[in-house]
Amino acid sequence: MSGSHNHDHSHVEVTAKNAKKLTLALALTTTFLIVEVIAGFITQSLALLSDAAHMFTDAAALAIALAAIKIGQKPADDKRTFGYQRFEILAALFNAMMLFVVAIYILYEAYQRFSQPPEIQSMGMLVVAVLGLIINLISMKILVSSSQDSLNVKGAYLEVLSDALGSVGVIIGALVIYFTGWMWVDTAIAVLIGFWVLPRTWVLLKQSINILLEGVPSEIDIESLRNDLLALDGVQGIHQLKVWAITSKNVHLTAHLIAPDVDQRALYHQAVELLGHEHGITQVTLQIEDDECHPHQHEHSH
């Protein structure tokens, strides 16, 4: 017995909501990026221009995430039966790699600056960093709820979060420099931000790669799932159990259940209900077989 069980409506609604939030955050970030670049040139502040580079990676991350959602909504066709949903994960992977590059650049730049700290205009730096922090906090507020539902939005959220921390660092640095004249403080804070961003980026990178490798999603306990299926009445064995994800929340399962003496239709419904309620998997294809030797002899469609 084979079958598929599907719930796509809520996914479409969540995706549309994510797109709206990302558009709003992108508009805010891009507007401030332009302001920050202009302010950087007017005040001749290198700190502001480097913060603008951070802000640019934010804007790029948000734009990529938005493009991923738009492309991911394209319908499935004969060439791509899953549609383009996986594009979201490619976007998350690209964002993670970009965050890595930025973090490593910060550390390299800091290393260069320790020997020759540049002259920093602390007041101009302070004013624009405070504005930047406000923009980042608004963007984070917009994105935070969706960052749990989508790796793609999570990538964008982490970008904004790292930039908010960057702004806090710049504010603290500007105040310390203003009152003490210690130019090296700017560099020390940049290093701390770099070390803060790297572990979080690594987690995002690992999750994205796991999905691209068709790995079992981290929230699924495959042993417990296998035991639950084997505990169903009449199930004597299970093989070809595969669990993978197309996107961060779109988990699929296929399995062959060996159950010779049962009502196959009833067992199918029991299994689907179990997987949905206990393990949160609704995209299910099951094949129920009479014995292991002839896996396709009694295959029925439901």
Side-chain angles (χ1 to χ4, degrees), residues 72-83:
Q73 284 174 325
K74 286 172 71 175
D77 54 37
D78 287 348
K79 291 276 188 202
R80 290 176 183 81
T81 51
F82 279 113

Side-chain angles (χ1 to χ4, degrees), residues 104-154:
I104 288 162
Y105 169 75
I106 289 169
L107 295 174
Y108 172 74
E109 188 62 28
Y111 170 73
Q112 298 282 314
R113 282 182 170 208
F114 265 124
S115 51
Q116 287 183 312
E119 189 65 37
I120 292 158
Q121 296 183 18
S122 53
M123 276 325 285
M125 175 180 165
L126 179 65
V127 171
V128 182
V130 168
L131 284 174
L133 178 61
I134 292 165
I135 296 288
N136 282 318
L137 290 174
I138 294 168
S139 295
M140 281 165 65
K141 183 92 175 73
I142 293 166
L143 297 174
V144 67
S145 59
S146 298
S147 70
Q148 301 306 311
D149 301 330
S150 158
L151 265 191
N152 182 29
V153 179
K154 188 178 183 179

Side-chain angles (χ1 to χ4, degrees), residues 27 49 92 141 145 150 152 166 174 177 197 213 218 244 268 300:
L49 288 175
K141 183 92 175 73
S145 59
S150 158
N152 182 29
I177 291 162
V197 171
L213 291 176
S218 55
W244 74 101
Y268 171 79
H300 303 295

